[in-house]
Amino acid sequence: MKRFLSFAGLVFLAFTVSGCLAGKFMSKFALNFEPHGVADIERTRHKADSLCPGSTAWYDSLKTIGLLKDTTIVGYRDFKVHACYVPAADPATAEGTAIVVHGYSDNHYVFLYLVRMYRDEFNYNVLFPDLQYHGYSEGDHAQMGWNDRLDVIKWIDVAHNIWHDKFMVLHGVSMGAATVMMTSGEELPEYVRAFVEDCGYSSVVAQFNNNRKQSFAFIPPDVLQSASLVTKKKYGWGFWEASSLKQLEKCERPMLFIHGDADDFVPTSHVYKNYEAKTKGYKELWIAPGAVHANSYAKHPQEYTQRVHDFLEKAKTL
């Protein structure tokens, strides 16, 4: 009996140790990808042009004439965070301010098509930040939108202090969309009037579990609990608390939900859960036919632009 108990104890210890090691691996793999920083900016310039040809030339031209500027503030956990901002095409008649939030392992460059859409077509002032551990921003890990929401709240104040608009929209893609949804549940200034989320996940744990099944199917789902504990100890937050759904339950302001019906990276099922979780205030849902992950604009640029425009016009009346 003693031998059996000793053997059982060793087996339990082995599983515990292996689970902890797997948890550390999963946490590091998900949150400490490489590269990021200055080299990452150059890596992703071509991605911006692939999503909307001419984006980087447009960006460079505005920067050359001094319209597009950089700014840095102290963000969450005292890391310096960076953003670019550009005034509306006709500043005297600006329709409002948009904050555009990029996705996982991307940076402020990648979704220039949204910056151009808001500035050139909608006549909005636009601020577009690098989230922590991305682009020119400091940071020690990807925060998956959860603590990024705290930096976005600071960027809201920065943008308002620049332009003093009475209408502001937050628009994010992928992890940026999750960031926007997570921000929407916080207490925000009254001039933050609308949100657009494009292919955001319903929660960090749900997304990581989907990634696990796609890339590490041999690893049991329990490892996510270990990885969450590692993340909690190291960075102060866990996977289960980082929920778009819980934040959406508190959101009372208008939101447009967008998702491609061919998205398998963040499965389309996420958007239905997100949409249902928001029970207060106005909401719209558009499922983009044939669009894979973060591809709805590239697949349907005119319809995407029109739907966002019409949603914003509706939101202004509410």
Side-chain angles (χ1 to χ4, degrees):
M1 187 65 177
K2 288 182 179 179
R3 283 186 176 182
F4 174 77
L5 291 175
S6 297
F7 175 74
L10 288 173
V11 171
F12 176 77
L13 180 61
F15 274 107
T16 301
V17 171
S18 62
C20 289
L21 291 175
K24 287 183 179 180
F25 167 78
M26 290 293 288
S27 178
K28 182 175 177 58
F29 179 84
L31 306 181
N32 297 111
F33 52 82
E34 293 291 347
H36 71 285
V38 176
D40 189 46
I41 296 291
E42 295 306 314
R43 178 183 67 84
T44 51
R45 282 174 68 93
H46 75 279
K47 186 174 180 180
D49 282 329
S50 71
L51 292 168
C52 183
S55 290
T56 57
W58 173 85
Y59 175 99
D60 292 340
S61 66
L62 289 178
K63 200 155 193 178
T64 298
I65 62 177
L67 282 179
L68 193 151
K69 299 179 180 179
D70 297 88
T71 187
T72 302
I73 62 172
V74 177
Y76 181 65
R77 294 174 62 217
D78 294 330
F79 285 111
K80 292 181 181 178
V81 288
H82 163 268
C84 289
Y85 63 96
V86 62
D90 181 5
T93 61
E95 292 287 333
T97 296
I99 295 181
V100 173
V101 188
H102 67 76
Y104 179 83
S105 78
D106 290 325
N107 55 60
H108 72 276
Y109 253 116
V110 175
F111 298 103
L112 287 178
Y113 66 83
L114 291 178
V115 181
R116 292 177 73 182
M117 179 185 76
Y118 275 103
R119 180 188 184 270
D120 292 355
E121 299 190 55
F122 299 168
N123 200 38
Y124 274 61
N125 303 303
V126 190
L127 183 143
F128 45 121
D130 287 323
L131 299 179
Q132 285 196 25
Y133 199 70
H134 295 75
Y136 294 130
S137 289
E138 294 179 347
D140 53 10
H141 73 294
Q143 301 182 120
M144 302 307 297
W146 183 238
N147 288 329
D148 292 310
R149 80 194 195 283
L150 304 177
D151 287 334
V152 169
I153 290 172
K154 291 190 175 186
W155 286 124
I156 287 171
D157 288 339
V158 170
H160 187 66
N161 288 335
I162 296 171
W163 293 300
H164 307 287
D165 289 323
K166 296 181 180 179
F167 185 94
M168 182 180 290
V169 56
L170 309 186
H171 190 140
V173 180
S174 191
M175 186 180 79
T179 304
V180 165
M181 289 187 284
M182 292 172 183
T183 305
S184 75
E186 299 299 317
E187 188 172 330
L188 301 172
E190 62 179 12
Y191 55 80
V192 179
R193 302 271 300 279
F195 307 93
V196 181
E197 78 86 15
D198 182 345
C199 65
Y201 40 81
S202 57
S203 69
V204 168
V205 71
Q207 181 57 31
F208 281 172
N209 192 46
N210 182 63
N211 297 149
R212 178 194 63 80
K213 289 186 287 186
Q214 289 178 332
S215 304
F216 304 100
F218 58 91
I219 297 179
D222 291 348
V223 169
L224 289 176
Q225 182 66 55
S226 177
S228 179
L229 291 172
V230 169
T231 303
K232 182 74 171 180
K233 182 177 181 180
K234 192 171 183 180
Y235 301 121
W237 66 279
F239 299 165
W240 270 261
E241 68 190 273
S243 171
S244 300
L245 300 179
K246 291 179 181 177
Q247 293 293 92
L248 286 168
E249 290 174 357
K250 299 182 286 183
C251 176
E252 299 181 355
R253 306 181 197 193
M255 184 173 293
L256 171 59
F257 297 82
I258 299 172
H259 218 105
D261 68 2
D263 192 342
D264 61 358
F265 185 75
V266 177
T268 311
S269 59
H270 282 246
V271 76
Y272 295 112
K273 294 176 183 177
N274 291 332
Y275 185 79
E276 292 172 3
K278 179 175 163 49
T279 58
K280 303 172 185 176
Y282 182 75
K283 60 183 178 179
E284 291 182 15
L285 172 64
W286 176 45
I287 304 300
V292 296
H293 187 63
N295 182 243
S296 295
Y297 178 91
K299 192 76 173 177
H300 307 281
Q302 292 182 338
E303 184 172 5
Y304 191 107
T305 300
Q306 190 64 52
R307 284 182 177 272
V308 174
H309 174 270
D310 292 349
F311 165 75
L312 293 176
E313 291 303 300
K314 176 69 176 180
K316 289 177 182 177
T317 68
L318 299 175

